[in-house]
Every structure is written in structure tokens, then in C-alpha cells.
Amino acid sequence: MEAAPVPDGQHTAVVYGLIGGGRFAEAVSLLNRGLQKSCRSRGCLSLLGYCHYQLQEFAAAAECYEQLVALHPQLLPYRLCYAQALYKAGLFAEALRVVSPLLDVPAFHRRALRLQAAVHYAQGDLPAAQSLVEEELAAAADGGSGAAEDPSERADAEVNLGCLLYRQGRHEEASSKFASAMQVLGYCPELSYNMALCSYAAKQYHAALKYISDIIKHGIHQHPELNVGMTTEGIDVRSVGNTLLLHRTALVEAFNLKAAIEYQLRNVRAAQEALTDMPPRAEEELDPVTLHNQALMNMDSQPTDGFGKLQFLLLQNPYPPETFGNLLLLYCKHQYYDLAADVLAENAHLTYKLLTPYLYNFLDAIITCQTAPEEAFHKLDDSAGTITEQLRKLTKQVQEARQNWDDEALKKAINEYDEALDKYVPVLMAQAKIYWDMKNYTMVEKIFHKSVEFCKEHEVWKLNVAHVLFMQENKYKEAISFYEPIVKKHYSNILDVSAIVLANLCVSYILTSQNEDAEELMRKIEKAEEQLSYDHPDKNTYHLCIVNLVIGTLYCVKGNYDFGISRIIKSLEPYNKKLSTDTWYYAKRCFLSLLENMSKHMIMLRDSVIQECLQFLKQCEQYGRNIPAVIEHPLEESGTHSGKNTVTYEARLLRALMYKISGWAE
């Protein structure tokens, strides 16, 4: 931002006025002009370093303080500021080198110790950090060098100790340290955030959200100029920048943590809103954690953008340690196994630092599965065996704690059991997928049967057992016994259930002659869709459409094309609301099957049915101009012309084939 011209003799007053008003960017512009006239000006360099620090431009601040240390080595506060700016810029080795001479200066001894501890903490060297924090606490207790009787100094040391306890997994003790520090220092958003983080790590989400709510209320009340929530409401507001004021409100951290909690609770919409509620900043101003969370929470709707952000973060320093593991998992989820293997090979030094043995073994097995499925199955089996032993031990601990009426031990054992189960289920599903891809559904059922001891109450397990029973085509009654509880659990909000689950349940009812149950379920879905359409007229729902498409497909598979195709055509009415990439996928498969059988003269259709098909395809041409026929992979270049990847193009092609095969003239 360019500052306005300053009258002669007013330069100092204007600079201090800008700084006092928090207009640091304008002050920087003015001070840079001053430096062009006198590049060794102590006043200009000092204020410029301060402004850059306030704007969180730490590398630029470090350059200013480096010059000041060289010009005025006797002024030790500049050396401390230089070390702090280097630490904030992530230049840890340089920060340690610059601050070490201050350890011998009594007036700076404790601050130098604290900065060294912070650097070692950031580097992950917890023993070194703890040793320095304890040394500082001992100095305060003894009234040693630099230890004035200032309660805030002691409180700062307690905060550092709390951070160490947090990293050691002692969340309750850490939270109590932060609480006691807040009693001395008064309400502090950063400490409230620390306590929220402890509650989050202990999976006490309600308590964490309470702390977060306090931070947000405090931020809105004290700093309305930060425009909290404006972006979510669709109001176009300018960036508030990355100021030290924003950092001290802890609003960015609080909203990121709120997003993480909502994401864990599978409230994806609420998680996305938490990210847009935070004070507005330009994309280039976003911190690494916000960038990471944006990528993760919008991955379903914006995968290309999400991958780009995670790849960018991996090249930055610092970045959230979860970035590496999440990028690898998402590559595997989207079936980019070669990219996952490349990232692992190129970042071998991060493998042991950022991936747990469990996650590394899991990813290694998933990637191996593409070339050697048998070897991958054995790797997964080894992981499953290790976790199974853990689960049995924890089951025993839960039982013992219940017998001894030990609530604390019971709570700890249950949490550990849930964590172990969350690790076991993905391994189990990866094993099952190997045989699912081979269409060996009997083997998949056997794998699930082995895990019934631990997983019988797990939602994901029950859903996949239902799917594998359904796919065997002779166990529809057993499939119903698994699908029904899932549907009944959400019966009052039936549209929360996946459309394919409802469709499979309806098909199972039909194939076991429970037509009344199928019709009742479809009526329930229809009423729910009508209500949703009334409440939200612009929102499209596809549940009933997909149920009818699956039923229509079933009849087509059985050879009853007259009824099956008729059902598919009716399911997509009205076309402006029901025609989509997914629904077109189901419809076109049946039409292709129909055309194949007609071309082989295996079936004959009545003229009225052919006429109905042609009319349907004309309607799809009309309404499918802007609907992609296939969702392209986010990281692959499109090999299809954009005009061909539309429902309109494919519908026209099918109509041409229909004319040709049926012998009708257009």
C-alpha cells in the first residue's frame, strides 16, 4: 500500500500516527522511502522491523534487526528481536545461534532461555525444551539472574510447561496449567484456545466448543472491525491482513479448531462454514493450517484445488505435520497410487518423522495392492493381527475397570479401545476390497465374519456386510436384516440415508416378495422429498429417482426391458430436477444393454416402447447440455472434447443408435 506524500518536517509524526492507528503497511511504505535517503538510519530500521513483525512478515523483520545488530552490537534488545523474528520465520538454527550470547547477560537470561525452549519445542526436541523450561522455573524460584518477582513471568513459564505436557499427551494436566496462568494474567484468548485444544485432544468436544465460543464472542465484541462471519453471509469485505492483533485474538486458530471438531463429527457443512466465518483474508495471506483445512474440507466438491493446496504446503516450511499423511491418503482414495508411491519415495526423510508405523504400513499395503494383491493382503493381515491383540487386551481392561468400579480407568480404556477400533476397520475394509474387486463376495463375507467379535456394532462394518450379502444374489433376506436397522435409525430423516442403501433395500424387498414393504419405503421417500422441495424449492434430491433407477435396472437385468426401461424413463421426470451425471449413468447403462440385445436380435420391443425411448432421449438432449456425462479425475488432463462430455451428446448418440438398430427413419 502506497503512503501519501508527507510535508517536510512531518515525517516522524506521520509514521508514529500510522503505527498508532495500526496502519502498518502504509508505515512500511513511508519508512522504506526514508531508508532510501539514509540506509543506516537506526530509527527507520527499528520502526521498519517493528512494522514488519506486526504484519507477521517475519523474514523481512529479521533483515531489519540483522542490520541493527551489525550497526549497534552494544544494543542487546535488537539481538533479542532479531532472534525472535528468525524463530517466527522458521529459521530455528539461526535463531539459536543469535540468541545464545544473551544467556550470559543477566537482564536477558530468562528471556533467552524461554526463546531457546520455544525453538526446541518447534523442532520437536521436547527433552531439550523441557530442560530449558525447568531451568527457567528454577531461576524464578531461586530469585536468580533476571528473575524479578513478577507473577506474569512465572505464569509464562507455566504456560510453556503446559505446552510440553500437551505434547506428552497429558492433556488434563496441561489444561490446568493454562487455567492457572489465566487466573494470573486475566482472560487471554490464546490460553483459552490452548484449553480448547486440550479438550479436543481428549475428545471432549462439548468443552472445546465452549472455549471456542468464548474466544469468538470476545473477538467480535472487542474487534468488530475484523468482520467475523461476513464472508459466510455473502458480504464482500476487504482482507483484514495478517496482523499481530489478529493473531492475539486467536480467532483464526479458534475457527480452525471448530472446523476440525465439526469435521470429526461428520458435520461437513458446519465445518466449511467455520472456515468462512473467520476474519477475511486474501488466499496468499492464509496461514498453513487454514490452507490445509480448506483443502481437506472442500475435497469432495473441489478436489483439484484441494490437491493443489496440499502439494503447495508440502513445499513450505513450516506446514501442518498432518499434511503429508493426508495427501497420501487422499491420493489413495482417488486411486492415484503411482503419485502416492512417488511422494513416499521423494520424501523418505518425512516417512519416519510424520507417519506413524500403523499409517506407513497401511499406505504401503494399499500401494502394493495394485501390483501384488496377495502380498498386500498378507501385509494388511499382519497389521490386523497386531490391532486384534490390542483390542483383546483393551476389552479385558474395560471389563476389569467395570468390575472395580473405576470410572477413570474405564473411561481411559474405552477411549483407547475406540481408537484401536478406528484403526482396525480401515485395515479390514482394505482386505475386503481386494476380494471385492475380484468379485469374490464369498471371501469378503468370510473376512467380515472373522471380525464380528469387535465390529458387530460398527456402522461402517454393518453397511458393508449388507452390501456383500446383497451382491451374492441369494442372501437378500440376510441383507435386509442389516439394511433395515440402518434405515430405521434415520427413518424420521430418511433422506440422510444414502440413496443406494434405500435402493438396495427396496430391491431386496421385491426379490423376497415383500412388495408392500418396498412400496411403503418408497412412499416415505416420496413424502420426504416433497417436504424438502417445499422447504427448499431450489434444492434437487435424487433418492427416489435412484431407487427407481436401480429397480428399473433390476428388471432390465432379468430381461423384462418393457417394464424396466419404462421405470427408468419415469424416474427421471421432471428432467430439469432429476437429470444429473449420476442418474444418467444408471439410465444409459440400461439403454446400452437394450441396444446390444436388440442388435443381436435377442429381444423385440413394441413400437410404443421404442417411441417412448426416443422421446426420452430427446428430452435428455434438451436438458443435458450443461450436465457432464462423466466426472473427470481431478489430476488428469481431459482426453475428451468438452462438447462430447455432456449428457446431450451421449443422448443424441444413443438416439442415433436406436434409429439404426430399430430400422426407424428419423
Side-chain angles (χ1 to χ4, degrees), residues 316-611:
Q316 306 307 302
N317 184 30
Y319 59 83
E322 295 83 3
T323 305
F324 186 53
N326 284 338
L327 179 59
L328 290 167
L329 286 168
L330 286 165
Y331 274 151
C332 291
K333 179 183 175 182
H334 288 261
Q335 299 183 9
Y336 296 123
Y337 303 107
D338 290 345
L339 287 176
D342 289 345
V343 170
L344 270 176
E346 289 164 10
N347 298 278
H349 61 292
L350 298 177
T351 300
Y352 300 103
K353 185 180 175 185
L354 298 178
L355 299 182
T356 62
Y358 160 78
L359 185 53
Y360 174 77
N361 292 335
F362 179 73
L363 288 165
D364 181 45
I366 296 295
I367 294 166
T368 304
C369 184
Q370 308 318 303
T371 51
E374 194 173 329
E375 184 187 342
F377 186 87
H378 289 307
K379 285 183 177 184
L380 290 165
D381 212 35
D382 290 342
S383 293
T386 305
I387 301 169
T388 299
E389 285 178 28
Q390 249 182 301
L391 287 166
R392 289 204 173 99
K393 284 178 187 173
L394 289 165
T395 302
K396 191 177 177 185
Q397 287 177 24
V398 168
Q399 289 168 349
E400 287 173 358
R402 280 186 177 140
Q403 287 168 1
N404 298 330
W405 298 92
D406 188 341
D407 289 344
E408 198 60 41
L410 178 62
K411 186 179 170 185
K412 183 173 180 288
I414 288 173
N415 282 339
E416 287 179 7
Y417 182 90
D418 288 343
E419 285 175 14
L421 190 60
D422 286 343
K423 289 179 180 178
Y424 180 60
V425 170
V427 172
L428 182 72
M429 295 304 153
Q431 282 185 295
K433 188 178 184 297
I434 292 171
Y435 286 100
W436 178 277
D437 291 342
M438 297 175 184
K439 294 186 167 43
N440 188 345
Y441 303 121
T442 307
M443 192 63 194
V444 176
E445 188 183 351
K446 282 181 183 175
I447 290 168
F448 286 149
H449 186 71
K450 280 197 304 182
S451 59
V452 70
E453 176 186 355
F454 306 112
C455 300
K456 60 185 175 186
E457 299 302 323
H458 200 282
E459 292 294 323
V460 172
W461 182 85
K462 288 192 283 189
L463 179 60
N464 282 286
V465 170
H467 287 332
V468 79
L469 291 169
F470 178 84
M471 291 302 291
Q472 290 180 66
E473 298 186 357
N474 60 353
K475 295 187 175 179
Y476 292 114
K477 284 189 176 176
E478 292 90 332
I480 289 170
S481 69
F482 281 94
Y483 280 133
E484 267 187 346
I486 296 168
V487 173
K488 283 179 179 173
K489 185 178 178 182
H490 302 279
Y491 207 64
S492 55
N493 297 300
I494 201 158
L495 298 183
D496 290 344
V497 181
S498 165
I500 203 65
V501 170
L502 297 171
N504 286 357
L505 181 55
C506 278
V507 167
S508 299
Y509 281 145
I510 291 165
L511 292 172
T512 53
S513 303
Q514 300 179 57
N515 290 17
E516 286 182 13
D517 291 329
E519 286 170 12
E520 185 187 339
L521 181 59
M522 290 172 75
R523 280 195 295 272
K524 176 71 176 173
I525 299 166
E526 188 175 8
K527 283 180 183 174
E529 285 195 357
E530 284 173 2
Q531 185 61 47
L532 187 68
S533 181
Y534 178 78
D535 295 337
H536 304 281
D538 298 330
K539 190 169 182 180
N540 293 340
T541 53
Y542 301 101
H543 281 65
L544 188 61
C545 172
I546 288 173
V547 170
N548 278 314
L549 281 168
V550 172
I551 292 170
T553 303
L554 170 70
Y555 280 98
C556 289
V557 168
K558 300 291 183 186
N560 188 349
Y561 283 97
D562 278 22
F563 183 80
I565 289 291
S566 175
R567 188 89 182 211
I568 283 164
I569 290 169
K570 285 184 173 60
S571 71
L572 286 169
E573 294 172 356
Y575 299 99
N576 63 323
K577 286 188 173 292
K578 300 300 181 185
L579 189 60
S580 71
T581 303
D582 288 336
T583 55
W584 174 245
Y585 170 76
Y586 285 104
K588 72 182 176 186
R589 286 174 69 201
C590 292
F591 273 85
L592 285 166
S593 171
L594 169 66
L595 289 167
E596 183 185 5
N597 281 299
M598 285 174 70
S599 67
K600 292 176 180 176
H601 303 289
M602 293 174 69
I603 59 167
M604 293 289 290
L605 283 186
R606 288 178 288 114
D607 286 355
S608 60
V609 176
I610 293 175
Q611 182 64 46

Side-chain angles (χ1 to χ4, degrees), residues 53 65 69 75-87 95 98-99 102 107-116:
Y53 197 92
Y65 289 123
V69 168
L75 296 175
L76 297 179
Y78 289 140
R79 177 171 284 274
L80 183 64
C81 290
Y82 179 30
Q84 284 175 327
L86 288 168
Y87 157 64
V98 170
V99 79
L102 297 177
F108 290 91
H109 178 73
R110 282 186 60 195
R111 278 180 285 179
L113 275 178
R114 200 175 303 155
L115 184 56
Q116 279 194 326

